[in-house]
Amino acid sequence: MRRPGEAERSAADFTALYEARFVDLAGQLYAFTGDNSETYDLVQEAFIRAWQRWATVGKYEDPVAWVRRVAWNLAMSRYRRLQRSRSMLRDVSQVAPGMEPDRVALVAALRTLPEQHRRAVVLHYLADLSVTEIAVETGAAVGTVKSWLHRGRVQLAAALQIHEGVDR
Amino acid sequence: MTDPIGTALSEEFAAFRQAAPTAFAPPPANAVFATARSRTVRRRVLVGAALAVATIAAGTTLLPAPAIRRPMPPADMVTTAVATATPPPSAPGSSSSTGPASGGAIASLPATPGSGRSGQPGQIRQSDWRNASIRGLDFCGESDDVVTFRGGSNGNDIPCVILPGGARPVYAEFLVEEPANRPAAEDALVLVELGNQSAARRQALVPVAIGADGRTLIAWPVIKGDPPSPTGDKVMTFTAYHIEQNIVVATVKRLDGTLETRRYRQAGMYGPWEQF
């Protein structure tokens, strides 16, 4: 039986998590999709689903991991559908306000990567996940993730015109 | 050892992170609460309406009749994956599979094609499984409630493939539910595989029923195969399966390559499947 005040505490916990982690997740999803409004939709949808299951999700050791996985799964499936309908071809048409041109260049460069490579790179650099954690998150083998990361980094560096000899 | 590319990329992403708080201010949490609340209300209304319609429509007595088992193929036939049963021509999901590919599962079909527990034609047999939308198939790892297959796959990076290797569905009445919200007679058991061919994969047998609207395919708790080996190079596969008095009997090829017959029953009316 729910104790008095439990619902309020639950809502407060969720709100704290939402406010603390929305930006991180939005940044990751924006880096993947390159679409500002799509990013908001995806992250909000993931949090809505989390709140609907908060009695369970709230007890997880890391509820953010659950929200992140849902958001990414939504992103992957929606991205495919959008790509099929060609509507993703509008190139960085919905740039997030506040993003400087060089940050937009990063997002544009990311979009030249195949989606698995891009996902691995974003999870590694923006979600701070290790190779093993990305493997768990994506359901791929560790070796596969290493390959995605390696190829993604090489391709991204090329797109951003970062050359190995330049900084030496 | 320095990694100039890695360092440069880290700096790029660090700058991106610094810009993110300005770019992505979260909408008020109240918007999340309000949307979740409105969805809950809408779902309750829809479920209530569906139950009311189904109750009115349920004028027939639905008496369960056991599925009739066909003999399992001998082990040597299983390993060479030779089909022992031909699906009825009215089953589009099977028609595209003229015969299981090597390593595909053999489905022993019940001997009562098209007959339901009330004598209705088996609606679920009309399913185009390779292009089906199945609700509640959590095994595929999608966040969406409905998994949509196109050409046999959901098309994700980690794909979920329905009826891989030419496997075929099995039809029988083996999912118990109240007749009031159960207009369809037969259920199906289909094989699904999650994962890439080049990486770790896992198979599951998915019991599927037709929903109260007579069209929606709804997945019940699945029977998962064993997890793959840690390196993903060895995978347990279901090589044959059939229904026997509401019990799922499956022949599996284990990670070590040996064959084993397993029997599964449901724990409770809606519960998960347990091996016994």
Side-chain angles (χ1 to χ4, degrees), chain B residues 112-198:
Chain B
T112 53
S115 66
R117 58 168 70 91
S118 60
Q120 306 166 347
Q123 289 171 281
I124 203 163
R125 288 176 184 254
Q126 309 304 318
S127 303
D128 177 3
W129 291 105
R130 287 172 53 78
N131 296 292
S133 294
I134 302 179
R135 184 176 295 281
L137 185 48
D138 298 337
F139 175 75
C140 287
E142 284 193 17
S143 51
D144 287 356
D145 192 33
V146 178
V147 175
T148 300
F149 295 96
R150 288 287 174 267
S153 170
N154 68 346
N156 279 2
D157 278 349
I158 312 295
C160 211
V161 178
I162 192 165
L163 299 174
R168 293 171 181 173
V170 167
Y171 300 101
E173 297 159 15
F174 65 105
L175 300 176
V176 181
E177 198 169 345
E178 290 297 316
N181 57 358
R182 188 71 195 288
E186 279 189 312
D187 312 301
L189 185 68
V190 295
L191 182 66
V192 166
E193 182 175 275
L194 177 66
N196 285 299
Q197 285 290 329
S198 56

Side-chain angles (χ1 to χ4, degrees), chain B residues 3-74:
Chain B
D3 173 15
I5 287 182
T7 306
L9 288 179
S10 295
E11 286 170 1
E12 287 280 347
F13 280 102
F16 179 91
R17 276 185 176 186
Q18 284 182 346
T22 316
F24 306 109
N30 284 341
V32 172
F33 298 142
T35 308
R37 196 163 45 242
S38 68
R39 283 186 190 176
T40 304
V41 170
R42 193 175 60 207
R43 191 184 309 126
R44 283 178 184 158
V45 169
L46 287 173
V47 169
L51 285 175
V53 169
T55 305
I56 293 166
T60 54
T61 305
L62 306 178
L63 297 174
I68 300 171
R69 179 200 172 187
R70 280 195 175 179
M72 289 284 287

Side-chain angles (χ1 to χ4, degrees), chain A residues 14-15 18 22-23 27 30 36 40 45 48-49 51 73-74 76 80 97 103 115-116 125-126 128 138 153 164, chain B residues 3-4 8 10 12-13 15-17 21 23-27 32-33 35-36 39 43 141 143-144 155-158:
Chain A
F14 176 85
T15 303
Y18 173 81
F22 186 95
V23 170
Y30 178 67
N36 191 40
Y40 269 93
E45 179 63 32
I48 288 166
R49 293 187 187 191
W51 174 241
N73 285 344
L74 284 170
M76 298 300 281
R80 287 242 165 74
R103 304 288 78 78
E115 57 190 59
Q116 299 98 323
Y125 282 101
L126 289 180
D128 295 326
T138 58
R153 279 159 44 113
E164 205 161 341
Chain B
D3 173 15
S10 295
E12 287 280 347
F13 280 102
F16 179 91
R17 276 185 176 186
F24 306 109
V32 172
F33 298 142
T35 308
R39 283 186 190 176
R43 191 184 309 126
S143 51
D144 287 356
N156 279 2
D157 278 349
I158 312 295

Side-chain angles (χ1 to χ4, degrees), chain A residues 2-152:
Chain A
R2 182 169 273 193
R3 290 189 296 274
E6 195 173 329
E8 288 76 10
R9 274 199 302 280
S10 181
D13 290 346
F14 176 85
T15 303
L17 180 91
Y18 173 81
E19 289 175 348
R21 306 310 294 268
F22 186 95
V23 170
D24 287 347
L25 281 174
Q28 293 165 30
L29 271 298
Y30 178 67
F32 180 79
T33 63
D35 188 308
N36 191 40
S37 63
E38 183 71 9
T39 295
Y40 269 93
D41 283 352
L42 291 168
V43 180
Q44 269 210 293
E45 179 63 32
F47 274 108
I48 288 166
R49 293 187 187 191
W51 174 241
Q52 286 176 316
R53 298 159 180 80
W54 191 244
T56 305
V57 175
K59 289 176 186 153
Y60 289 166
E61 194 176 335
D62 184 9
V64 173
W66 189 93
V67 180
R68 183 177 58 234
R69 183 172 288 198
V70 170
W72 273 96
N73 285 344
L74 284 170
M76 298 300 281
S77 51
R78 282 195 196 180
Y79 178 77
R80 287 242 165 74
R81 280 200 290 271
L82 286 169
Q83 211 175 29
R84 274 197 287 272
S85 65
R86 302 269 180 193
S87 55
M88 285 295 275
L89 286 178
R90 57 181 194 278
D91 191 32
V92 201
S93 61
Q94 295 201 34
V95 175
M99 277 288 167
E100 300 296 326
D102 51 344
R103 304 288 78 78
V104 176
L106 174 63
V107 174
L110 279 166
R111 292 183 67 188
T112 64
L113 272 57
E115 57 190 59
Q116 299 98 323
H117 302 178
R118 193 185 335 155
R119 185 182 188 183
V121 166
V122 170
L123 286 173
H124 181 67
Y125 282 101
L126 289 180
D128 295 326
L129 298 191
S130 67
V131 171
T132 310
E133 288 168 330
I134 296 171
V136 172
E137 187 94 0
T138 58
V142 170
T144 307
V145 173
K146 282 182 182 171
S147 165
W148 288 345
L149 267 177
H150 174 71
R151 291 179 190 174

